[in-house]
Amino acid sequence: MNLLRKILFPFAILYGFITSIRNFLFDKGVLKSTSFNIPVIAVGNLSVGGTGKTPQIEYLIRLLSDKYKVATLSRGYKRKSEGFVLADQNSNAEILGDEPFQFYQKFPNLIVAVDANRTNGIQQLLSQNEKPEVVLLDDAYQHRKVKAGFYILLTAYGDLYADDFMLPTGNLRESRSGAERANIVVVTKCPKVLSEEKQAEIRLKLKLNCSQQLFFTFIDYDEEIFGSEGKIAVNEIKQESKLLLAGIAKPKPFFEYLKNENDECLTFPDHHHFSDADLETILAKAKGKKIITTEKDYVRLKDSKLVSQLYYLPIKSTFINHQQNFDTTILEYVK
């Protein structure tokens, strides 16, 4: 914790008090929450950014799409549009935001929509000719105006909410007690091997109640990178000199997975909109070499002047154990 964050500790106490009062008013029904007569699953976190929401949403899409008509509803962070937008063939990352546009391109049968007002967003989805049977709310754990039927809370292995503080001293959007709303807690970005003893230790630290289920996942990287020029095996590209480019919250694991001693890494802020000057800088640093980026960044850059050199590395969320228990719990709720 740096000095400035320590100095701002009184503001963290105030912020925590305000969010606690807000949650209390929602819990007691003073502030209105709207529920819906279809399954609504909210996925989110207590902290700001970097917990792996996108691969977790994609896991749910794969799990449910064979059986149900699924819609995702996001706020569309940093998009240049306003209000409710339903994805169609004219959509792009600027209209939808990078993550919703990634969902739209990746899953052809998925309904993708964005709206900062999640209540209005669900109402609009249910008014369409093609209505969803399940709605996945992306990054909506604190959006109390919608009462989801099921809550999945994510917390990163190296940054557990139990070890964090309220903003601005720490990174928590609300107090740790907010975890009590979760039906399932998923510890993301774990090492691939995590002992049962360590898992039990984390459960105690998170102070879950007996009705809450806990799961552990890790980020699994694809064996190939993909671009407009085709695909290349990761083992092959690791040996090649290249530029690694990321505009995500926590890019270090991405860099470490692909990097060799001859590579250069270039970092931009999360959800960054790349300007023409940015593109020129990237090309200058690449010096004609391949540019490898994240899938989320690729959807913003694939139509740019980088395209002939640009590739992306897909990721997915993989369960360390008890995957069948997770799947069964979700499918039983939806059914």
Side-chain angles (χ1 to χ4, degrees), residues 6 16 20 51 166 176 196 213 256 258 303 313-314 335:
K6 289 181 179 178
S20 295
T51 57
M166 292 293 300
R176 302 166 193 169
E196 294 282 355
Q213 293 181 266
E256 289 180 343
L258 291 174
D303 295 322
L313 175 67
K335 187 169 68 173

Side-chain angles (χ1 to χ4, degrees), residues 206-240:
L206 297 180
K207 298 181 179 179
L208 303 184
N209 63 52
C210 58
S211 67
Q212 292 177 299
Q213 293 181 266
L214 179 65
F215 297 91
F216 297 85
T217 64
F218 62 91
I219 294 298
D220 204 4
Y221 293 98
D222 203 293
E223 295 179 353
E224 295 175 313
I225 60 170
F226 299 84
S228 63
E229 301 297 308
K231 58 186 181 181
I232 304 172
V234 167
N235 287 339
E236 180 182 335
I237 202 65
K238 280 184 177 181
Q239 310 307 316
E240 189 174 328

Side-chain angles (χ1 to χ4, degrees), residues 132-199:
E133 297 172 295
V134 184
V135 176
L136 304 178
L137 294 181
D138 179 20
D139 196 14
Y141 197 80
Q142 283 77 35
H143 199 90
R144 301 295 306 273
K145 290 183 179 180
V146 169
K147 185 173 178 57
F150 200 93
Y151 288 89
I152 299 175
L153 176 64
L154 310 182
T155 185
Y157 175 80
D159 191 20
L160 298 172
Y161 64 76
D163 297 327
D164 208 344
F165 299 90
M166 292 293 300
L167 288 165
T169 297
N171 292 313
L172 294 183
R173 298 170 171 175
E174 62 174 302
S175 71
R176 302 166 193 169
S177 63
E180 295 171 5
R181 298 197 302 278
N183 301 93
I184 281 176
V185 176
V186 180
V187 180
T188 62
K189 301 184 177 182
C190 296
K192 286 189 176 182
V193 178
L194 192 65
S195 69
E196 294 282 355
E197 291 77 14
K198 184 63 177 177
Q199 293 178 36

